[in-house]
Amino acid sequence: MGEKNQSNQKRVLTGITTSGIPHLGNLSGAVLPAIDASREKTVSSFLFLADYHSLIKNIDPALTHSSSFEIAACWLACGLNPKEVTFYRQSDVPHIFELTWILNCLAAKGLMNRAHAYKAAVAENNNATDPDKGITMGLYNYPILMAADILMFKADIVPVGQDQKQHIEMTRDIALRFNHYYGNILSIPEAMIDEKKGIIPGSDGRKMSKSYGNTIPIFDTQKKLRKAIMKIKTNSLEPGEPKNHADCSVFKIFQAFASESQTSDLKKEYANGIAWGKAKEELFSLLDEKITPFRDEYGKITQDKSYIEKTLKDGAERALTISTPVIEEIRKAVGIKEFK
Ligand code: TRP
């Protein structure tokens, strides 16, 4: 019987691909809920920068480097406490990549053929003579690297967005196969999926997303924040005409950050015919108040590269104390061991 996670704390682990600086939608959907969850005393929380995953989409070294730095700074600025969370860079834990190879040798190719991201890339090649045109082994193997991220730390729970659910199922599949051949060593993780979180609208009413160009920035200047808010699409109702809060982007964004009483006050103002300019002003002042401490902290933290580097190195050191005995157990189980 393998060594399981012995403590009675559940291990909760999640990764952040280091591309693109988070916007307001990521803040309410992922960053703040994950930071809140990490404060739970009953869990042991692991959060890491999936910097090697980012190479799949980006081959610009300067961008790879700066994204990783900005995302680390963002999480720290938004309140992640590295004393409460094991916060590390994937690339600082080489055991993950060793495990990736071992899992590669077990994972069925047919399983990877069914991965949504791979299938979407093939579908885009619709009429090409080579259906795999432009598709790298990195994209193809993405789910296996992700499985190694999770299994390396015997995570119990993996909070992810709906789009990642299939990857957790694949991880379970691969782990069961490993245990079947080599003994009961790996923990079988559960996905924790929050369906609703993160779905706040952008300035055009569609889901806020970098790919739609409708995001509201977090760390830009106050001026840019105001500008982004004033750009949010509304209908053409005049001041004084009652407005429906339920189908209004301004209201939905407000609600994601406001207290219950603030929300019900704004609801009343909508019924009383608040002017769009005023509603947007209220949203601006709410967001500005929420974001200013994060923006200030981000400004300070990014001045101090060595603080961020040291924080991540400390996190990696803690991560390595967990991964080292696990990889040793795995190597032995597969027969990679000393002659004696
Ligand atoms: N693939 C995840 C995403 O794009 C990021 C990620 C990488 C991850 N490794 C992980 C998430 C391990 C959870 C666990 O969002």
Side-chain angles (χ1 to χ4, degrees):
M1 179 63 90
E3 174 225 320
K4 290 275 161 189
N5 172 15
Q6 297 293 353
S7 77
N8 42 19
Q9 279 185 322
K10 289 257 182 219
R11 270 189 199 157
V12 178
L13 174 145
T14 200
I16 311 136
T17 304
T18 51
S19 54
I21 195 158
H23 54 68
L24 198 69
N26 305 134
L27 191 69
S28 69
V31 180
L32 297 180
I35 292 174
D36 277 349
S38 72
R39 296 194 173 125
E40 276 284 329
K41 292 284 172 272
T42 56
V43 305
S44 153
S45 201
F46 292 69
L47 205 88
F48 69 95
L49 304 169
D51 51 355
Y52 267 122
H53 271 108
S54 82
L55 287 191
I56 295 167
K57 286 202 188 140
N58 165 38
I59 54 162
D60 173 353
L63 186 62
T64 297
H65 186 68
S66 63
S67 294
S68 181
F69 176 73
E70 285 163 6
I71 292 191
C74 164
W75 281 78
L76 292 168
C78 292
L80 179 112
N81 180 349
K83 294 204 169 68
E84 286 171 340
V85 179
T86 306
F87 182 50
Y88 57 98
R89 250 179 321 225
Q90 183 187 38
S91 58
D92 281 333
V93 184
H95 298 147
I96 294 171
F97 309 99
E98 188 174 346
L99 180 57
T100 301
W101 179 255
I102 297 171
L103 301 180
N104 258 300
C105 296
L106 276 175
K109 177 170 177 287
L111 186 67
M112 294 307 116
N113 288 342
R114 292 195 287 277
H116 299 318
Y118 170 66
K119 276 170 62 179
V122 171
E124 271 186 33
N125 282 336
N126 217 353
N127 298 314
T129 37
D130 175 10
D132 285 326
K133 185 166 179 272
I135 298 174
T136 64
M137 286 306 292
L139 176 72
Y140 193 70
N141 280 335
Y142 184 112
I144 303 181
L145 179 54
M146 185 159 159
D149 290 332
I150 297 168
L151 300 174
M152 190 73 260
F153 293 95
K154 300 191 172 181
D156 300 297
I157 298 169
V158 186
V160 281
Q162 181 67 34
D163 62 321
Q164 297 294 313
K165 192 172 165 208
Q166 187 194 32
H167 293 150
I168 311 300
E169 280 158 12
M170 291 176 157
T171 301
R172 292 168 60 90
D173 195 298
I174 296 167
L176 287 167
R177 196 152 165 153
F178 180 99
N179 286 353
H180 174 75
Y181 286 112
Y182 296 124
N184 197 12
I185 291 175
L186 301 177
S187 297
I188 311 301
E190 305 267 352
M192 191 171 86
I193 305 214
D194 196 321
E195 313 274 347
K196 275 216 259 7
K197 274 192 190 132
I199 313 292
I200 69 166
S203 52
D204 60 357
R206 292 188 288 174
K207 177 184 170 186
M208 190 178 293
S209 160
K210 218 177 69 174
S211 48
Y212 294 149
N214 64 1
T215 60
I216 294 179
I218 321 173
F219 299 123
D220 254 323
T221 58
Q222 239 178 0
K223 214 171 136 195
K224 288 212 175 125
L225 175 65
R226 166 175 269 119
K227 207 169 148 203
I229 291 171
M230 294 305 156
K231 254 183 39 197
I232 299 173
K233 262 205 198 124
T234 49
N235 59 29
S236 54
L237 290 175
E238 297 288 335
E241 291 186 79
K243 297 177 175 64
N244 180 6
H245 64 270
D247 66 357
C248 175
S249 302
V250 176
F251 187 88
K252 284 183 195 155
I253 301 171
F254 186 92
Q255 189 174 26
F257 290 91
S259 67
E260 273 179 36
S261 77
Q262 286 172 314
T263 305
S264 80
D265 286 350
L266 188 64
K267 226 183 245 179
K268 280 185 213 132
E269 292 192 68
Y270 267 61
N272 291 336
I274 190 174
W276 286 128
K278 170 118 192 302
K280 288 178 177 178
E281 233 11 277
E282 293 203 11
L283 176 60
F284 170 73
S285 67
L286 176 83
L287 289 182
D288 192 46
E289 194 191 316
K290 290 269 165 199
I291 289 174
T292 297
F294 299 154
R295 190 198 291 128
D296 290 351
E297 192 59 25
Y298 186 81
K300 265 188 244 152
I301 277 184
T302 48
Q303 294 305 306
D304 190 354
K305 292 199 164 153
S306 67
Y307 166 73
I308 297 184
E309 184 57 34
K310 178 163 189 317
T311 301
L312 290 169
K313 280 277 153 61
D314 288 349
E317 207 175 292
R318 285 197 339 250
L320 285 164
T321 63
I322 295 169
S323 65
T324 301
V326 176
I327 199 74
E328 281 168 4
E329 188 186 12
I330 291 173
R331 280 184 203 134
K332 259 195 223 133
V334 304
I336 302 289
K337 53 185 180 181
E338 285 175 5
F339 302 131
K340 56 181 177 193

